[in-house]
Amino acid sequence: MKPDDELCLCFHVTMRKVQNFCRIEKPRRASQLSECGGAGTGCGWCRPFLQRIFENQQQTGESEIPDSEAYHRDRAAYLEERKKRGDKTD
Ligand code: FES
């Protein structure tokens, strides 16, 4: 994923915003990333990736996220699965 690709598709929060938030604000828990433009507070798709970014930044200062195409495709499958289960999909 490139820095200007959206990580949180619900709230249009880019990878760069999340990384800068981690670098500047130094959150102590992954859940604090929600303070970065509401990241992770919509459908929930990006939460594992936010967690991963948080953990990687804590350890190495880097993050491993799939390329943008795979990220969008897999989210569509995630939303479809939630829909089948009857979960709310805002
Ligand atoms: S993609 Fe981030 S909450 Fe939906």
Coordinates of all heavy atoms in Angstrom, one line a residue:
M1 N 0.9 -1.2 0.0 CA 0.0 0.0 0.0 C 0.9 1.2 0.0 O 1.9 1.3 0.7 CB -0.9 0.0 1.2 CG -1.8 1.2 1.3 SD -3.0 1.0 2.6 CE -4.3 0.0 1.9
K2 N 0.5 2.2 -0.8 CA 1.3 3.5 -0.9 C 0.8 4.5 0.2 O -0.3 4.4 0.7 CB 1.1 4.1 -2.3 CG 1.6 3.3 -3.4 CD 1.4 3.9 -4.7 CE 1.8 2.9 -5.8 NZ 0.8 2.8 -6.9
P3 N 1.6 5.4 0.6 CA 1.3 6.3 1.7 C 0.0 7.1 1.5 O -0.7 7.3 2.5 CB 2.5 7.3 1.7 CG 3.6 6.5 1.1 CD 3.0 5.6 0.1
D4 N -0.4 7.4 0.3 CA -1.6 8.2 0.1 C -2.8 7.4 -0.2 O -3.9 7.9 -0.4 CB -1.4 9.3 -1.0 CG -0.5 10.4 -0.5 OD1 -0.5 10.7 0.7 OD2 0.3 10.9 -1.4
D5 N -2.7 6.0 -0.2 CA -3.8 5.1 -0.3 C -4.6 5.2 1.0 O -4.1 5.3 2.1 CB -3.4 3.7 -0.6 CG -2.8 3.5 -1.9 OD1 -3.1 4.4 -2.8 OD2 -2.1 2.5 -2.1
E6 N -6.0 5.1 0.9 CA -6.8 5.1 2.0 C -6.7 3.8 2.8 O -6.9 2.7 2.2 CB -8.3 5.4 1.6 CG -8.5 6.8 1.2 CD -9.9 7.1 0.8 OE1 -10.8 6.1 0.8 OE2 -10.2 8.2 0.6
L7 N -6.4 3.9 4.0 CA -6.4 2.7 4.9 C -7.7 2.4 5.5 O -8.3 1.3 5.5 CB -5.3 2.9 6.0 CG -5.1 1.7 6.9 CD1 -4.5 0.5 6.2 CD2 -4.3 2.1 8.1
C8 N -8.3 3.5 6.0 CA -9.7 3.4 6.5 C -10.6 3.9 5.4 O -10.7 5.1 5.2 CB -9.9 4.2 7.8 SG -11.6 4.0 8.4
L9 N -11.3 3.0 4.7 CA -12.1 3.4 3.6 C -13.4 4.0 4.0 O -14.0 4.8 3.3 CB -12.4 2.1 2.7 CG -11.1 1.4 2.2 CD1 -11.4 0.1 1.6 CD2 -10.4 2.3 1.2
C10 N -13.9 3.7 5.2 CA -15.1 4.4 5.7 C -14.9 5.9 5.9 O -15.7 6.7 5.6 CB -15.5 3.7 7.0 SG -16.2 2.1 6.8
F11 N -13.7 6.2 6.5 CA -13.5 7.6 6.8 C -12.4 8.3 6.0 O -11.9 9.4 6.4 CB -13.2 7.7 8.4 CG -14.4 7.4 9.2 CD1 -14.6 6.1 9.7 CD2 -15.5 8.3 9.3 CE1 -15.7 5.8 10.5 CE2 -16.6 7.9 10.0 CZ -16.7 6.7 10.6
H12 N -11.9 7.6 5.0 CA -10.9 8.2 4.1 C -9.7 8.6 4.8 O -9.1 9.7 4.5 CB -11.5 9.3 3.3 CG -12.8 9.0 2.6 ND1 -12.9 8.1 1.6 CD2 -14.1 9.3 3.0 CE1 -14.2 8.0 1.3 NE2 -14.9 8.7 2.1
V13 N -9.2 7.8 5.7 CA -8.0 8.1 6.4 C -6.8 7.3 5.7 O -6.9 6.1 5.5 CB -8.0 7.6 7.9 CG1 -6.7 7.9 8.6 CG2 -9.2 8.3 8.6
T14 N -5.8 8.1 5.2 CA -4.7 7.5 4.5 C -3.7 6.8 5.4 O -3.6 7.0 6.6 CB -4.0 8.5 3.6 OG1 -3.4 9.5 4.5 CG2 -4.9 9.2 2.7
M15 N -2.9 5.9 4.7 CA -1.9 5.2 5.4 C -0.9 6.3 6.0 O -0.5 6.2 7.2 CB -1.1 4.4 4.4 CG 0.1 3.7 4.9 SD -0.4 2.3 5.8 CE 1.0 1.2 5.5
R16 N -0.6 7.3 5.2 CA 0.3 8.4 5.7 C -0.2 9.0 7.0 O 0.5 9.3 7.9 CB 0.5 9.4 4.6 CG 1.5 10.5 5.0 CD 1.5 11.6 3.9 NE 1.6 11.2 2.6 CZ 2.7 10.9 1.9 NH1 3.9 11.1 2.5 NH2 2.7 10.6 0.6
K17 N -1.5 9.3 7.0 CA -2.1 10.0 8.2 C -1.9 9.1 9.5 O -1.6 9.6 10.5 CB -3.6 10.2 8.0 CG -3.9 11.5 7.3 CD -5.4 11.8 7.3 CE -5.7 13.0 6.4 NZ -7.2 13.2 6.3
V18 N -2.2 7.8 9.3 CA -2.1 6.9 10.4 C -0.6 6.8 10.9 O -0.3 6.8 12.1 CB -2.6 5.5 10.1 CG1 -2.3 4.5 11.2 CG2 -4.1 5.6 9.8
Q19 N 0.3 6.7 9.9 CA 1.7 6.6 10.3 C 2.2 7.8 10.9 O 2.9 7.8 11.9 CB 2.6 6.3 9.0 CG 2.3 4.9 8.5 CD 3.1 4.6 7.2 OE1 3.1 5.4 6.3 NE2 3.6 3.4 7.1
N20 N 1.8 9.0 10.4 CA 2.2 10.3 11.0 C 1.6 10.4 12.4 O 2.2 10.9 13.4 CB 1.8 11.5 10.2 CG 2.7 11.6 9.0 OD1 3.8 11.1 8.9 ND2 2.2 12.4 8.0
F21 N 0.3 9.9 12.6 CA -0.3 10.0 13.9 C 0.5 9.1 14.9 O 0.8 9.6 16.0 CB -1.7 9.4 13.8 CG -2.5 9.4 15.1 CD1 -3.2 10.6 15.5 CD2 -2.5 8.3 15.9 CE1 -3.9 10.6 16.7 CE2 -3.2 8.4 17.1 CZ -3.9 9.5 17.5
C22 N 0.9 7.9 14.5 CA 1.7 7.1 15.3 C 3.0 7.7 15.7 O 3.5 7.7 16.9 CB 2.0 5.7 14.7 SG 0.6 4.6 14.6
R23 N 3.7 8.3 14.7 CA 5.0 8.9 14.9 C 4.9 10.2 15.9 O 5.7 10.3 16.8 CB 5.6 9.4 13.6 CG 7.0 9.9 13.6 CD 7.5 10.2 12.2 NE 6.6 10.8 11.3 CZ 6.5 12.2 11.3 NH1 7.1 12.9 12.1 NH2 5.6 12.7 10.4
I24 N 3.9 11.0 15.7 CA 3.8 12.2 16.4 C 3.1 12.1 17.7 O 3.5 12.6 18.8 CB 3.0 13.3 15.5 CG1 3.9 13.6 14.3 CG2 2.7 14.6 16.4 CD1 3.1 14.4 13.2
E25 N 1.9 11.4 17.7 CA 1.1 11.3 19.0 C 1.6 10.1 19.9 O 1.2 10.1 21.1 CB -0.4 11.0 18.6 CG -1.0 12.2 17.8 CD -1.0 13.5 18.5 OE1 -1.1 13.5 19.8 OE2 -0.9 14.5 17.9
K26 N 2.3 9.2 19.3 CA 2.8 8.0 20.1 C 1.7 7.4 20.9 O 1.8 7.3 22.2 CB 4.0 8.4 20.9 CG 5.2 9.0 20.1 CD 6.4 9.2 21.0 CE 7.6 9.8 20.3 NZ 7.5 10.0 18.9
P27 N 0.7 6.8 20.2 CA -0.4 6.2 21.0 C 0.1 5.0 21.8 O 1.1 4.3 21.4 CB -1.4 5.7 19.9 CG -0.6 5.6 18.7 CD 0.5 6.7 18.8
R28 N -0.5 4.7 22.9 CA -0.1 3.7 23.8 C -0.8 2.4 23.5 O -0.4 1.3 23.9 CB -0.2 4.1 25.3 CG 0.7 5.3 25.6 CD 0.5 5.8 26.9 NE 1.1 4.8 27.9 CZ 1.2 5.0 29.2 NH1 0.8 6.2 29.7 NH2 1.7 4.1 30.0
R29 N -2.0 2.5 22.9 CA -2.8 1.4 22.5 C -3.3 1.5 21.1 O -3.6 2.7 20.7 CB -4.1 1.3 23.5 CG -3.7 0.9 24.9 CD -4.9 0.8 25.8 NE -5.8 2.0 25.7 CZ -5.7 3.1 26.3 NH1 -4.6 3.3 27.1 NH2 -6.5 4.1 26.1
A30 N -3.5 0.4 20.4 CA -4.0 0.5 19.0 C -5.3 1.2 18.9 O -5.6 1.9 17.9 CB -4.1 -0.9 18.4
S31 N -6.2 1.0 19.9 CA -7.5 1.6 19.9 C -7.5 3.2 19.8 O -8.4 3.8 19.4 CB -8.3 1.2 21.1 OG -7.7 1.6 22.3
Q32 N -6.3 3.7 20.2 CA -6.2 5.2 20.2 C -6.1 5.7 18.7 O -6.2 6.9 18.5 CB -5.0 5.6 21.0 CG -5.2 5.5 22.5 CD -4.0 5.9 23.3 OE1 -3.0 5.1 23.3 NE2 -4.0 7.0 23.9
L33 N -5.8 4.8 17.8 CA -5.8 5.2 16.4 C -7.1 5.7 15.9 O -7.2 6.4 14.9 CB -5.3 4.1 15.5 CG -3.8 3.6 15.8 CD1 -3.4 2.5 14.8 CD2 -2.9 4.8 15.7
S34 N -8.2 5.4 16.6 CA -9.5 6.0 16.2 C -9.5 7.5 16.3 O -10.4 8.1 15.7 CB -10.6 5.4 17.1 OG -10.4 5.8 18.5
E35 N -8.6 8.0 17.1 CA -8.5 9.5 17.2 C -7.9 10.1 16.0 O -7.8 11.3 15.8 CB -7.6 9.8 18.4 CG -8.2 9.4 19.7 CD -7.3 9.5 20.9 OE1 -6.3 10.2 20.8 OE2 -7.5 8.8 21.9
C36 N -7.4 9.3 15.1 CA -6.9 9.7 13.8 C -8.0 9.7 12.7 O -8.2 8.8 12.0 CB -5.7 8.8 13.4 SG -5.0 9.3 11.8
G37 N -8.8 10.7 12.8 CA -9.9 10.8 11.8 C -11.0 9.8 11.9 O -11.8 9.6 10.9
G38 N -11.1 9.1 13.0 CA -12.2 8.1 13.2 C -11.8 6.8 12.6 O -12.6 5.9 12.5
A39 N -10.5 6.6 12.3 CA -10.1 5.3 11.7 C -10.5 4.1 12.5 O -10.3 4.1 13.7 CB -8.5 5.3 11.5
G40 N -11.1 3.2 11.8 CA -11.5 1.9 12.5 C -12.9 2.0 13.2 O -13.3 0.9 13.7
T41 N -13.6 3.1 13.1 CA -14.8 3.2 13.9 C -16.1 2.9 13.0 O -17.2 3.1 13.4 CB -14.9 4.5 14.6 OG1 -14.9 5.6 13.6 CG2 -13.8 4.7 15.6
G42 N -15.8 2.5 11.7 CA -17.0 2.3 10.8 C -17.2 0.8 10.7 O -17.6 0.2 11.7
C43 N -17.0 0.2 9.6 CA -17.3 -1.2 9.3 C -16.4 -2.2 10.1 O -16.7 -3.3 10.3 CB -17.2 -1.5 7.8 SG -15.6 -1.5 7.2
G44 N -15.2 -1.7 10.5 CA -14.3 -2.5 11.2 C -13.2 -3.2 10.4 O -12.3 -3.9 10.9
W45 N -13.4 -3.2 9.0 CA -12.4 -3.8 8.1 C -11.0 -3.5 8.4 O -10.1 -4.4 8.5 CB -12.8 -3.5 6.7 CG -11.6 -3.8 5.7 CD1 -10.9 -2.9 5.1 CD2 -11.1 -5.0 5.4 NE1 -9.9 -3.5 4.3 CE2 -10.1 -4.8 4.5 CE3 -11.5 -6.4 5.7 CZ2 -9.3 -5.8 3.9 CZ3 -10.7 -7.4 5.1 CH2 -9.7 -7.1 4.2
C46 N -10.7 -2.3 8.7 CA -9.3 -1.8 8.8 C -8.7 -2.1 10.2 O -7.5 -1.9 10.3 CB -9.2 -0.4 8.4 SG -10.1 0.7 9.5
R47 N -9.5 -2.5 11.1 CA -9.0 -2.6 12.5 C -7.8 -3.5 12.6 O -6.8 -3.2 13.3 CB -10.1 -3.0 13.5 CG -11.0 -1.9 13.8 CD -12.1 -2.3 14.7 NE -13.2 -1.4 14.6 CZ -14.5 -1.7 14.8 NH1 -14.8 -3.0 15.2 NH2 -15.4 -0.9 14.6
P48 N -7.8 -4.7 12.0 CA -6.6 -5.6 12.1 C -5.4 -4.9 11.5 O -4.2 -5.1 11.9 CB -7.0 -6.9 11.3 CG -8.5 -6.8 11.2 CD -8.9 -5.4 11.3
F49 N -5.6 -4.1 10.4 CA -4.5 -3.5 9.8 C -3.9 -2.3 10.6 O -2.7 -2.0 10.7 CB -4.9 -3.0 8.4 CG -5.3 -4.1 7.5 CD1 -6.6 -4.4 7.3 CD2 -4.3 -4.9 6.8 CE1 -7.0 -5.5 6.6 CE2 -4.7 -5.9 6.0 CZ -6.0 -6.3 5.9
L50 N -4.9 -1.6 11.3 CA -4.5 -0.6 12.2 C -3.7 -1.2 13.4 O -2.6 -0.6 13.8 CB -5.7 0.2 12.8 CG -6.5 1.0 11.8 CD1 -7.8 1.4 12.4 CD2 -5.7 2.3 11.4
Q51 N -4.1 -2.3 13.8 CA -3.4 -3.0 14.9 C -2.0 -3.4 14.4 O -1.0 -3.2 15.2 CB -4.2 -4.3 15.3 CG -3.5 -5.2 16.3 CD -3.7 -4.6 17.7 OE1 -4.7 -4.0 18.1 NE2 -2.7 -4.8 18.5
R52 N -1.9 -3.9 13.2 CA -0.6 -4.3 12.6 C 0.3 -3.1 12.5 O 1.5 -3.2 12.9 CB -0.9 -5.0 11.3 CG 0.3 -5.7 10.8 CD 0.1 -6.4 9.5 NE -1.1 -7.2 9.3 CZ -1.5 -7.7 8.2 NH1 -0.9 -7.4 7.1 NH2 -2.6 -8.4 8.2
I53 N -0.2 -2.0 12.0 CA 0.6 -0.8 11.9 C 1.1 -0.3 13.3 O 2.3 0.0 13.5 CB -0.2 0.4 11.2 CG1 -0.4 0.0 9.8 CG2 0.5 1.7 11.4 CD1 -1.4 1.0 9.1
F54 N 0.2 -0.3 14.2 CA 0.5 0.1 15.6 C 1.7 -0.8 16.1 O 2.7 -0.3 16.6 CB -0.7 0.0 16.5 CG -0.4 0.2 17.9 CD1 -0.2 1.5 18.4 CD2 -0.3 -0.9 18.8 CE1 0.1 1.7 19.8 CE2 0.0 -0.7 20.1 CZ 0.2 0.6 20.6
E55 N 1.5 -2.1 16.0 CA 2.5 -3.1 16.5 C 3.8 -2.9 15.8 O 4.9 -2.9 16.4 CB 2.0 -4.5 16.4 CG 0.9 -4.8 17.4 CD 0.2 -6.1 17.2 OE1 0.6 -6.9 16.2 OE2 -0.8 -6.4 17.9
N56 N 3.8 -2.8 14.5 CA 5.0 -2.7 13.7 C 5.7 -1.4 14.0 O 7.0 -1.4 14.1 CB 4.7 -2.9 12.2 CG 4.4 -4.3 11.8 OD1 4.7 -5.2 12.6 ND2 3.9 -4.5 10.6
Q57 N 5.0 -0.4 14.1 CA 5.6 0.9 14.4 C 6.2 0.9 15.8 O 7.2 1.6 16.0 CB 4.6 2.1 14.3 CG 4.1 2.3 12.9 CD 4.6 3.6 12.3 OE1 4.9 4.5 13.0 NE2 4.6 3.6 11.0
Q58 N 5.6 0.2 16.7 CA 6.2 0.1 18.0 C 7.5 -0.6 18.0 O 8.4 -0.3 18.7 CB 5.2 -0.7 19.0 CG 3.9 -0.1 19.2 CD 4.0 1.0 20.3 OE1 4.5 0.7 21.3 NE2 3.5 2.2 20.0
Q59 N 7.6 -1.6 17.1 CA 8.8 -2.5 17.1 C 9.9 -2.0 16.1 O 11.0 -1.9 16.5 CB 8.4 -3.9 16.7 CG 7.5 -4.6 17.7 CD 6.9 -5.9 17.2 OE1 7.2 -6.3 16.0 NE2 6.1 -6.5 18.0
T60 N 9.4 -1.6 14.9 CA 10.4 -1.3 13.9 C 10.3 0.1 13.2 O 11.1 0.5 12.5 CB 10.3 -2.3 12.7 OG1 9.1 -2.2 12.1 CG2 10.5 -3.7 13.2
G61 N 9.1 0.7 13.5 CA 8.9 2.0 12.8 C 8.4 1.8 11.4 O 8.2 2.8 10.7
E62 N 8.1 0.6 11.0 CA 7.5 0.3 9.7 C 6.2 -0.4 9.8 O 5.8 -0.8 10.8 CB 8.5 -0.6 8.9 CG 9.9 0.1 8.7 CD 10.8 -0.8 8.0 OE1 10.4 -1.9 7.5 OE2 12.0 -0.4 7.8
S63 N 5.5 -0.6 8.6 CA 4.3 -1.3 8.6 C 4.2 -2.2 7.3 O 4.8 -1.8 6.3 CB 3.1 -0.3 8.7 OG 3.2 0.6 7.6
E64 N 3.5 -3.3 7.4 CA 3.3 -4.2 6.3 C 1.8 -4.3 6.0 O 1.0 -4.9 6.7 CB 3.8 -5.6 6.6 CG 5.3 -5.6 6.9 CD 5.7 -7.0 7.5 OE1 5.0 -7.9 7.2 OE2 6.7 -7.0 8.1
I65 N 1.4 -3.7 4.9 CA 0.0 -3.6 4.5 C -0.1 -4.1 3.0 O 0.8 -3.7 2.2 CB -0.6 -2.2 4.7 CG1 -0.5 -1.8 6.1 CG2 -2.0 -2.2 4.2 CD1 -1.4 -2.6 7.1
P66 N -1.1 -4.9 2.6 CA -1.2 -5.3 1.2 C -1.3 -4.1 0.3 O -1.7 -3.0 0.7 CB -2.4 -6.2 1.2 CG -3.1 -6.0 2.5 CD -2.2 -5.3 3.4
D67 N -1.0 -4.4 -1.0 CA -1.2 -3.3 -2.0 C -2.6 -2.9 -2.1 O -3.6 -3.6 -1.6 CB -0.7 -3.7 -3.4 CG -1.5 -4.8 -4.0 OD1 -2.7 -4.6 -4.3 OD2 -0.9 -5.9 -4.3
S68 N -2.9 -1.7 -2.6 CA -4.2 -1.1 -2.6 C -5.3 -1.9 -3.3 O -6.4 -2.0 -2.8 CB -4.1 0.3 -3.3 OG -5.3 1.0 -3.2
E69 N -4.9 -2.5 -4.4 CA -5.9 -3.3 -5.1 C -6.4 -4.5 -4.2 O -7.6 -4.8 -4.1 CB -5.3 -3.9 -6.4 CG -6.3 -4.6 -7.3 CD -5.7 -5.1 -8.6 OE1 -4.8 -4.4 -9.1 OE2 -6.0 -6.1 -9.0
A70 N -5.5 -5.2 -3.6 CA -5.8 -6.4 -2.8 C -6.6 -5.9 -1.6 O -7.5 -6.6 -1.1 CB -4.6 -7.1 -2.4
Y71 N -6.2 -4.8 -1.0 CA -6.9 -4.2 0.1 C -8.3 -3.9 -0.1 O -9.2 -4.3 0.6 CB -6.1 -3.0 0.6 CG -6.5 -2.5 2.0 CD1 -6.1 -3.1 3.1 CD2 -7.3 -1.3 2.1 CE1 -6.4 -2.7 4.4 CE2 -7.6 -0.8 3.4 CZ -7.2 -1.5 4.5 OH -7.5 -1.1 5.7
H72 N -8.6 -3.3 -1.3 CA -10.0 -3.0 -1.6 C -10.8 -4.2 -1.9 O -11.9 -4.4 -1.5 CB -10.0 -2.0 -2.9 CG -9.8 -0.6 -2.5 ND1 -8.5 -0.1 -2.2 CD2 -10.6 0.5 -2.4 CE1 -8.6 1.2 -1.9 NE2 -9.9 1.6 -2.1
R73 N -10.2 -5.2 -2.7 CA -10.9 -6.4 -3.0 C -11.2 -7.2 -1.8 O -12.3 -7.7 -1.6 CB -9.9 -7.2 -4.0 CG -10.5 -8.5 -4.5 CD -9.5 -9.4 -5.1 NE -8.5 -9.8 -4.2 CZ -7.2 -9.6 -4.4 NH1 -6.8 -9.1 -5.5 NH2 -6.3 -9.9 -3.5
D74 N -10.3 -7.3 -0.9 CA -10.5 -8.1 0.3 C -11.5 -7.5 1.2 O -12.3 -8.2 1.9 CB -9.2 -8.4 1.1 CG -8.2 -9.3 0.3 OD1 -8.7 -9.9 -0.7 OD2 -7.1 -9.3 0.7
R75 N -11.6 -6.2 1.2 CA -12.6 -5.5 2.0 C -14.0 -5.8 1.5 O -14.9 -6.0 2.2 CB -12.4 -4.0 2.1 CG -13.4 -3.2 2.9 CD -13.2 -1.7 2.9 NE -14.2 -1.1 3.7 CZ -15.2 -0.2 3.2 NH1 -15.2 -0.1 1.9 NH2 -16.0 0.4 4.0
A76 N -14.1 -5.8 0.2 CA -15.4 -6.1 -0.4 C -15.9 -7.5 0.0 O -17.1 -7.7 0.3 CB -15.3 -6.0 -2.0
A77 N -15.0 -8.4 0.0 CA -15.3 -9.8 0.5 C -15.7 -9.8 1.9 O -16.6 -10.5 2.4 CB -14.1 -10.7 0.2
Y78 N -15.0 -9.0 2.7 CA -15.2 -8.9 4.2 C -16.6 -8.3 4.4 O -17.4 -8.8 5.2 CB -14.2 -8.0 4.8 CG -14.5 -7.4 6.2 CD1 -14.3 -8.2 7.3 CD2 -14.9 -6.1 6.3 CE1 -14.5 -7.7 8.6 CE2 -15.2 -5.6 7.6 CZ -15.0 -6.4 8.7 OH -15.2 -5.9 9.9
L79 N -17.0 -7.2 3.7 CA -18.3 -6.6 3.8 C -19.4 -7.6 3.4 O -20.5 -7.7 4.0 CB -18.4 -5.3 3.0 CG -17.6 -4.2 3.6 CD1 -17.7 -3.0 2.6 CD2 -17.9 -3.8 5.0
E80 N -19.1 -8.4 2.3 CA -20.1 -9.3 1.8 C -20.4 -10.4 2.9 O -21.5 -10.8 3.1 CB -19.6 -10.0 0.5 CG -20.6 -10.8 -0.2 CD -21.9 -10.1 -0.5 OE1 -21.8 -8.9 -0.9 OE2 -23.0 -10.7 -0.5
E81 N -19.3 -10.9 3.5 CA -19.4 -11.9 4.6 C -20.2 -11.3 5.7 O -21.0 -12.1 6.3 CB -17.9 -12.3 5.0 CG -17.9 -13.5 5.9 CD -18.5 -14.7 5.4 OE1 -18.3 -15.0 4.1 OE2 -19.1 -15.5 6.1
R82 N -19.9 -10.1 6.1 CA -20.7 -9.5 7.2 C -22.2 -9.4 6.9 O -23.0 -9.6 7.7 CB -20.1 -8.1 7.5 CG -18.8 -8.1 8.3 CD -18.4 -6.7 8.7 NE -19.5 -6.2 9.6 CZ -19.4 -5.0 10.2 NH1 -18.3 -4.3 10.0 NH2 -20.3 -4.6 11.0
K83 N -22.4 -9.1 5.6 CA -23.8 -9.0 5.2 C -24.5 -10.3 5.3 O -25.7 -10.4 5.8 CB -23.8 -8.5 3.7 CG -25.1 -7.9 3.2 CD -24.8 -7.3 1.9 CE -26.0 -6.9 1.2 NZ -25.7 -6.4 -0.2
K84 N -23.8 -11.4 4.9 CA -24.4 -12.7 5.0 C -24.7 -13.1 6.4 O -25.7 -13.8 6.7 CB -23.4 -13.7 4.4 CG -23.4 -13.7 2.9 CD -22.4 -14.8 2.4 CE -22.1 -14.7 0.9 NZ -21.0 -15.5 0.5
R85 N -23.8 -12.6 7.3 CA -24.0 -13.0 8.7 C -25.1 -12.1 9.4 O -25.5 -12.3 10.5 CB -22.7 -12.8 9.5 CG -21.7 -13.8 9.2 CD -20.6 -13.8 10.3 NE -20.2 -12.4 10.6 CZ -19.0 -11.9 10.4 NH1 -18.1 -12.6 9.7 NH2 -18.7 -10.7 10.7
G86 N -25.5 -11.0 8.7 CA -26.5 -10.1 9.2 C -26.0 -9.0 10.1 O -26.7 -8.3 10.8
D87 N -24.6 -8.8 10.0 CA -24.0 -7.8 10.8 C -24.3 -6.4 10.1 O -24.5 -6.3 8.9 CB -22.5 -7.9 10.8 CG -22.0 -9.1 11.5 OD1 -22.8 -9.8 12.2 OD2 -20.8 -9.4 11.5
K88 N -24.3 -5.4 11.0 CA -24.5 -4.0 10.5 C -23.3 -3.7 9.7 O -22.2 -4.0 10.1 CB -24.7 -3.1 11.7 CG -25.2 -1.7 11.3 CD -25.5 -0.9 12.5 CE -25.7 0.5 12.1 NZ -25.5 1.4 13.2
T89 N -23.4 -3.0 8.5 CA -22.3 -2.7 7.6 C -22.2 -1.2 7.4 O -22.1 -0.8 6.2 CB -22.4 -3.4 6.3 OG1 -23.6 -3.1 5.7 CG2 -22.3 -4.9 6.5
D90 N -22.2 -0.4 8.3 CA -22.0 1.1 8.0 C -20.7 1.3 7.6 O -19.8 1.6 7.4 CB -22.3 2.0 9.1 CG -22.8 1.5 10.4 OD1 -24.0 1.2 10.5 OD2 -22.0 1.5 11.4
Ligands
FES1 S1 -12.6 0.6 6.5 FE1 -12.0 1.5 8.5 S2 -13.8 1.3 9.6 FE2 -14.4 0.7 7.6

